[in-house]
């Protein structure tokens, strides 16, 4: 018999970071700046802590904001990811 999936509810993760711009005003590579893959991995970890086997309907949002103060530019990055925690259930055990 095949397993069925059951929803454990929504899961989400929010990451943010700040980096000072380089001499051209561009955002440099930095360990302080989160990525979409880090946010989706965080959602997967949250789901596993809740007892899920995986996440369905994964989505994400990436925002980069320039904060200017005088001659200095600082970039703030916000990444949010979300999905639905899912767990496989054997129908024989559910009954």
């Amino acid at each position: 018999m095949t397993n069925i999936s059951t929803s454990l509810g929504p899961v989400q993760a929010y990451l943010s970071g700040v980096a000072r711009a380089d001499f051209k005003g561009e955002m440099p590579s930095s360990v302080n700046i989160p990525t979409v893959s880090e946010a989706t991995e965080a959602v997967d970890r949250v789901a596993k802590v809740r007892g899920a086997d995986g996440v369905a309907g994964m989505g994400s949002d990436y925002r980069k904001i320039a904060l200017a103060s005088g001659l200095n530019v600082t970039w703030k990055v916000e990444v949010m990811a979300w999905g639905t925690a899912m767990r496989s259930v054997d129908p024989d055990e559910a009954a």
Side-chain angles (χ1 to χ4, degrees):
M1 198 168 257
T2 60
N3 287 348
I4 57 173
S5 292
T6 184
S7 171
L8 298 177
V11 287
Q12 65 182 12
Y14 172 81
L15 306 174
S16 67
V18 176
R20 187 173 298 257
D22 63 12
F23 68 95
K24 293 180 183 176
E26 300 294 323
M27 186 173 62
S29 298
S30 173
V31 295
N32 295 332
I33 301 299
T35 63
V36 171
S37 64
E38 290 172 334
T40 55
E41 288 169 6
V43 167
D44 194 47
R45 285 192 306 269
V46 169
K48 287 187 179 64
V49 166
R50 292 179 64 182
D53 299 319
V55 179
M58 185 77 76
S60 64
D61 184 35
Y62 180 92
R63 295 176 187 230
K64 181 171 73 169
I65 305 153
L67 306 171
S69 175
L71 298 175
N72 297 326
V73 175
T74 303
W75 289 98
K76 179 176 182 181
V77 173
E78 300 175 334
V79 183
M80 183 169 208
W82 59 87
T84 302
M86 303 295 288
R87 182 178 69 200
S88 295
V89 178
D90 186 357
D92 295 334
E93 293 177 10

